[in-house]
């Protein structure tokens, strides 16, 4: 609990820059013009623990702002994080979602650098065992950027570019859990170039997005639908040639006209063709999809998952959440129905770091069907 108290103290001090006495945001946008609100760039300390990292510590900057004085334009936001963990993992990351004036354009993306990042690797496919665990380490730079133009209200279309530069892959011959002798890492069964040389993945493709959410940071009502494709190939400098297709559908609604309980649901599909390197495979697990499983506990070329949350205010700045998820991975789409579904459930707390803009700090505990479990810290909702 000391970690939680340290985080909440830093968050409470930082929220003074946003206006501590600001009233909660109404779901319907205000009709009259309002003065432009200045974003805060005050960093605050973070302390956390989750299965992939152990205990971590660092700094975060979380500005939220709106271009112009038109309150029907949804607010833009960014997130700058820098942290290090007890497992010697280091990350510097910038995420942003920017609505220009009139929402004529939506510019969103990520720039992340993972330095000497050790992770547990379990192989690929839907039937890997915890006894297959080995530890691998690498450095990776991820750049992902999309520029979309509004073609009608809430409907955007445009292009997305993604680059992943993986370097210095190191396979540690770790002793697998529950086995008396050392086992070779299953990564050594992958094509040798995936772990013997640096690799670059570079892809470009179209995106069609419908985003009718009332607030993209913490949604009370609305729908979200993303259809996108990425084509990676030598013409873009990629060392691998493969294609990725994404389906992401979400729905948010109060349970009744007067209810403060929000039902949030998501259907996620990721489908790939061609020789996909191990780090670009679709992953189940982590702080967003099937919380309770280690991030990458199951990975393969195809993924299909569904999850739901019930979100409700509790007291002061705290909200409560319960959630459940089902998902599967497979080498082909047909294999997604040939094995038992992975299932997780759990509950969590949300601390309203910025009440005016509904920006939450998230604490979740999830558990899986096979006995896996994990505690997660993150900024913003899982979906």
């Amino acid at each position: 609990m000391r970690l939680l108290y340290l985080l909440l103290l830093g968050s409470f001090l930082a929220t003074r820059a946003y206006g501590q006495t600001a009233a909660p945001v109404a779901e319907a946008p205000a009709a009259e013009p309002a003065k432009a609100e200045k974003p805060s760039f005050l960093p605050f300390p973070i302390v956390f623990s989750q299965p992939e990292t152990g205990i971590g510590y660092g700094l975060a900057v979380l500005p939220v702002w709106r271009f112009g004085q038109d309150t029907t334009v949804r607010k833009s936001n960014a997130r700058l994080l820098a942290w290090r963990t007890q497992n010697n993992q280091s990350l510097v990351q910038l995420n942003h979602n920017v609505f220009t004036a009139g929402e004529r354009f939506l510019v969103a993306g990520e720039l992340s650098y993972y330095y000497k990042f050790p992770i547990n690797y379990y192989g690929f496919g839907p039937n890997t065992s915890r006894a297959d665990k080995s530890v691998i380490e690498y450095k990776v730079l991820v750049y992902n950027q999309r520029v979309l133009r509004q073609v009608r209200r809430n409907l955007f279309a445009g292009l997305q570019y993604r680059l992943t530069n993986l370097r210095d892959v190191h396979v540690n011959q770790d002793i697998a859990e529950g086995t008396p002798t050392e086992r070779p890492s299953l990564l050594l069964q992958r094509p040798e170039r995936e772990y013997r040389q640096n690799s670059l993945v570079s892809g470009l493709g179209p995106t069609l997005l419908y985003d009718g959410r009332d607030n993209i940071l913490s949604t009370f009502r609305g729908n979200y639908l993303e259809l996108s494709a990425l084509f990676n190939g030598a013409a873009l400098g990629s060392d691998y040639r493969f294609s990725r297709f994404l389906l992401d559908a979400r729905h948010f609604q109060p349970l009744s006209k007067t209810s403060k309980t929000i039902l949030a649901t998501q259907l996620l599909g990721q489908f790939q063709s061609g020789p996909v390197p191990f780090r670009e495979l679709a992953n189940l697990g982590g702080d967003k999809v099937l919380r309770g499983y280690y991030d990458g506990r199951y990975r393969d070329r195809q993924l299909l998952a569904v999850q739901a949350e019930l979100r409700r205010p509790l007291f002061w700045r705290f909200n409560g959440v319960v959630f459940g998820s089902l998902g599967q991975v497979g080498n082909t789409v047909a294999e997604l129905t040939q094995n038992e579904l992975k299932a997780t459930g759990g509950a969590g707390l949300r601390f309203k770091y910025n009440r005016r803009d509904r920006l939450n700090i998230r604490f979740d505990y999830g558990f899986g069907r096979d006995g896996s479990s994990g505690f997660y810290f993150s900024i913003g909702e899982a979906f």
Side-chain angles (χ1 to χ4, degrees):
M1 291 299 294
R2 291 181 179 178
L3 300 180
L4 178 60
Y5 293 152
L6 287 172
L7 177 58
L8 295 183
L9 176 60
S11 301
F12 178 75
L13 294 175
T15 54
R16 298 182 66 88
Y18 283 97
Q20 189 175 5
T21 60
V25 175
E27 293 182 15
E32 67 271 6
K35 292 183 179 180
E37 299 167 346
K38 295 182 179 180
S40 170
F41 293 92
L42 179 67
F44 73 92
I46 53 175
V47 183
F48 61 92
S49 177
Q50 54 195 41
E52 295 79 19
T53 63
I55 298 174
Y57 55 90
L59 290 174
V61 182
L62 307 169
V64 181
W65 72 97
R66 177 185 288 120
F67 283 105
Q69 298 182 16
D70 182 358
T71 57
T72 64
V73 174
R74 284 167 289 186
K75 290 188 176 182
S76 304
N77 67 86
R79 182 179 68 190
L80 176 61
L81 295 175
W83 50 250
R84 185 170 176 81
T85 77
Q86 69 178 108
N87 295 336
N88 297 319
Q89 299 152 310
S90 298
L91 167 69
V92 178
Q93 183 180 70
L94 172 66
N95 289 292
H96 60 279
N97 293 276
V98 178
F99 290 98
T100 65
E103 295 194 3
R104 286 187 292 273
F105 288 92
L106 170 58
V107 181
E110 169 197 356
L111 178 62
S112 300
Y113 181 60
Y114 300 81
Y115 178 74
K116 290 186 177 180
F117 206 85
I119 65 167
N120 296 342
Y121 180 77
Y122 296 90
F124 68 99
N127 297 313
T128 56
S129 165
R130 280 191 284 180
D132 294 326
K133 189 196 84 168
S134 63
V135 178
I136 64 174
E137 180 181 292
Y138 50 73
K139 302 174 186 176
V140 64
L141 174 70
V142 178
Y143 173 70
N144 189 27
Q145 185 67 62
R146 60 176 55 177
V147 179
L148 309 178
R149 181 179 176 85
Q150 187 179 88
V151 294
R152 57 184 301 177
R153 180 159 181 79
N154 296 332
L155 183 63
F156 301 84
L159 291 175
Q160 176 180 3
Y161 174 74
R162 179 180 171 87
L163 178 144
T164 303
N165 186 5
L166 184 68
R167 307 179 63 85
D168 301 337
V169 178
H170 179 70
V171 181
N172 298 316
Q173 296 300 317
D174 191 34
I175 297 177
E177 295 176 353
T179 59
T181 58
E182 188 172 317
R183 308 172 73 180
S185 171
L186 293 181
L187 185 63
L188 302 179
Q189 297 179 8
R190 302 283 299 178
E192 187 174 354
R193 66 174 181 164
E194 290 190 21
Y195 58 87
R196 292 293 187 194
Q197 66 185 44
N198 300 329
S199 61
L200 182 73
V201 174
S202 177
L204 181 70
T207 295
L208 181 67
L209 174 66
Y210 176 85
D211 191 348
R213 295 174 293 175
D214 64 330
N215 182 307
I216 67 174
L217 293 172
S218 179
T219 308
F220 287 168
R221 63 175 70 248
N223 296 298
Y224 176 97
L225 175 63
E226 176 184 344
L227 301 171
S228 64
L230 273 175
F231 302 100
N232 305 274
L236 296 169
S238 180
D239 296 323
Y240 297 88
R241 182 179 179 180
F242 66 96
S243 301
R244 173 181 295 163
F245 305 92
L246 179 70
L247 164 67
D248 186 351
R250 311 177 196 179
H251 176 68
F252 306 86
Q253 69 174 55
L255 292 186
S256 69
K257 291 183 178 180
T258 59
S259 176
K260 295 183 179 180
T261 301
I262 307 300
L263 173 64
T265 56
Q266 181 186 32
L267 172 66
L268 181 66
Q270 185 172 320
F271 311 102
Q272 302 184 100
S273 63
V276 186
F278 80 92
R279 199 187 175 279
E280 298 301 302
L281 292 169
N283 288 351
L284 282 180
D287 71 328
K288 292 186 179 298
V289 183
L290 268 74
R291 284 160 281 177
Y293 287 119
Y294 187 92
D295 189 8
R297 174 64 183 83
Y298 298 100
R299 62 177 79 204
D300 213 323
R301 294 199 310 159
Q302 324 300 336
L303 175 150
L304 192 61
V306 61
Q307 58 183 340
E309 287 191 350
L310 286 175
R311 307 169 180 173
R312 183 174 175 80
L314 295 178
F315 61 92
W316 191 50
R317 290 174 177 259
F318 287 98
N319 293 344
V321 169
V322 293
F323 58 86
S325 311
L326 293 171
Q328 188 58 281
V329 297
N331 183 53
T332 65
V333 174
E335 287 184 10
L336 294 173
T337 63
Q338 295 175 2
N339 293 278
E340 186 179 34
L341 289 173
K342 318 308 181 199
T344 65
L349 286 175
R350 304 292 181 265
F351 176 72
K352 289 180 274 189
Y353 165 74
N354 177 352
R355 288 185 295 180
R356 184 189 70 197
D357 299 315
R358 305 209 302 253
L359 174 58
N360 294 329
I361 295 174
R362 174 162 58 96
F363 307 90
D364 284 334
Y365 178 77
F367 54 90
R369 177 179 288 173
D370 66 350
S372 300
S373 64
F375 175 77
Y376 300 91
F377 160 87
S378 191
I379 298 168
E381 300 295 342
F383 63 94

